[in-house]
Amino acid sequence: MDHAPGAHGGHDMGGAVSTLDTTGALLFIGWAAAMWLAVAVLAYANRGPVRPWLYKTAVGVIGLGVIGQIGHFQEHVLQAGYWVANPYSPAWMTPWATGLAKGMGQVDPSKPALGMEILHLTGNFIFLAGLVGIVQITRRATGALKSRKWAKMGVWMQGIHGIEHIVLTASVALGASRAIGLSTWFGAIEPGPALVTYRVWWHFVANLIGTIILAVSLFHLWKEKKAVKDGYLPESAAGGAGAGAGAGAGAAGGEDCVLVPAASLGTADPSAQEAEPERERELVSRS
């Protein structure tokens, strides 16, 4: 979903904005906001005792992040494919992405590129929230989990990528003639095929790497799901299991205590039995 419309040498974002465009834009932004609210709640609640809804909420955040990244990445794939077929044409977006960008661009219609930048920024932060969700769901698990390691790697990479899009969006919002960021070589590349090529492939590669990291993290999360789920067992159930184990050990110890006196009695009885005949012989001799 990365393009360079208007003065950026890319897709023209002109045209009337429909009610569907506006509704879609609001829902998409609401999606991202809801995910980050859930991430904040998880981060705070995971510091305290286990609560039944924590695990399911984390799973929901991860699921929404995966769905969002599938849509996000397919846009980059289609955009790169369009470039291969039309390397000297302006950047292209799918109709649904164009509609979302138009809806978001209503925040300032005087800046044609702003809607596209907001759209791409929102998509990246949905992806980032999904990665943070994996970090949160593995927080209570003991041991070093590979899923958590890969998710942290993804958070760092996607966090840096997100900063890039904050800079791109802010530069356009503040009135720059073109988006300023690493993917535009800080505005040094003139609008045209060179700028389109650089932006299209820069963001395609960045999202390809990020998507691979997400996939690897999810693969390990599936393999480590038992360890992750065990971290969310109710504390009462965990305490009951520990008490049951302690009671079993105590019962075994009780049996040992009973057996030891019996053994000691068994070793004392023969000596007493040997003393009895000696006493009887002494009594007979005296009589």
Side-chain angles (χ1 to χ4, degrees), residues 111 114 117 121 164-176 179-180:
K111 299 180 176 68
L114 185 57
E117 298 293 356
L121 175 67
E164 159 76 359
H165 281 286
I166 291 174
V167 173
L168 291 170
T169 305
S171 62
V172 173
L174 294 174
I180 297 172

Side-chain angles (χ1 to χ4, degrees), residues 265-282:
L265 287 173
T267 56
D269 284 344
S271 60
Q273 291 172 359
E274 292 175 1
E276 281 299 322
E278 291 294 331
R279 293 195 192 97
E280 290 177 1
R281 282 194 293 270
E282 288 178 4

Side-chain angles (χ1 to χ4, degrees), residues 20-285:
L20 183 61
D21 296 338
T22 303
T23 303
L26 291 173
L27 289 175
F28 197 61
I29 292 173
W31 177 356
M35 286 187 69
W36 278 99
L37 177 61
V39 165
V41 171
L42 284 171
Y44 178 79
N46 263 328
R47 299 166 60 187
V50 175
R51 301 179 187 278
W53 51 267
L54 279 174
Y55 180 79
K56 291 182 179 180
T57 302
V59 170
V61 169
I62 295 168
L64 288 173
V66 170
I67 293 170
Q69 182 57 12
I70 289 173
H72 183 189
F73 186 58
Q74 66 83 30
E75 187 75 17
H76 282 287
V77 171
L78 293 174
Q79 187 178 14
Y82 182 87
W83 181 93
V84 170
N86 307 275
Y88 297 101
S89 298
W92 173 83
M93 285 195 293
T94 58
W96 49 87
T98 301
L100 289 172
K102 284 182 179 180
M104 294 177 179
Q106 292 178 90
V107 67
D108 189 348
S110 68
K111 299 180 176 68
L114 185 57
M116 180 274 296
E117 298 293 356
I118 295 174
L119 172 62
H120 200 46
L121 175 67
T122 305
N124 275 276
F125 271 85
I126 287 175
F127 180 25
L128 179 59
L131 288 165
V132 175
I134 298 177
V135 174
Q136 287 298 319
I137 202 172
T138 57
R139 186 170 176 176
R140 292 180 179 271
T142 57
L145 300 184
K146 290 184 178 180
S147 56
R148 183 176 178 84
K149 176 183 176 181
W150 280 89
K152 282 186 174 181
M153 188 190 310
V155 168
W156 275 103
M157 179 182 173
Q158 192 60 26
I160 294 171
H161 191 61
I163 292 173
E164 159 76 359
H165 281 286
I166 291 174
V167 173
L168 291 170
T169 305
S171 62
V172 173
L174 294 174
S177 60
R178 68 193 69 166
I180 297 172
L182 186 59
S183 60
T184 65
W185 205 243
F186 304 102
I189 303 177
E190 292 295 326
L195 177 58
V196 170
T197 300
Y198 183 55
R199 288 202 71 175
V200 164
W201 289 102
W202 196 99
H203 288 285
F204 172 79
V205 171
N207 277 274
L208 174 63
I209 296 172
T211 302
I212 291 172
I213 291 174
L214 173 64
V216 174
S217 180
L218 289 171
F219 171 74
H220 287 298
L221 184 62
W222 177 258
K223 292 179 65 178
E224 298 164 344
K225 61 182 178 179
K226 185 181 185 305
V228 173
K229 283 184 177 181
D230 287 348
Y232 288 87
L233 289 174
E235 293 180 354
S236 58
E255 292 175 1
D256 291 342
C257 292
V258 172
L259 290 174
V260 169
S264 62
L265 287 173
T267 56
D269 284 344
S271 60
Q273 291 172 359
E274 292 175 1
E276 281 299 322
E278 291 294 331
R279 293 195 192 97
E280 290 177 1
R281 282 194 293 270
E282 288 178 4
L283 290 174
V284 171
S285 64

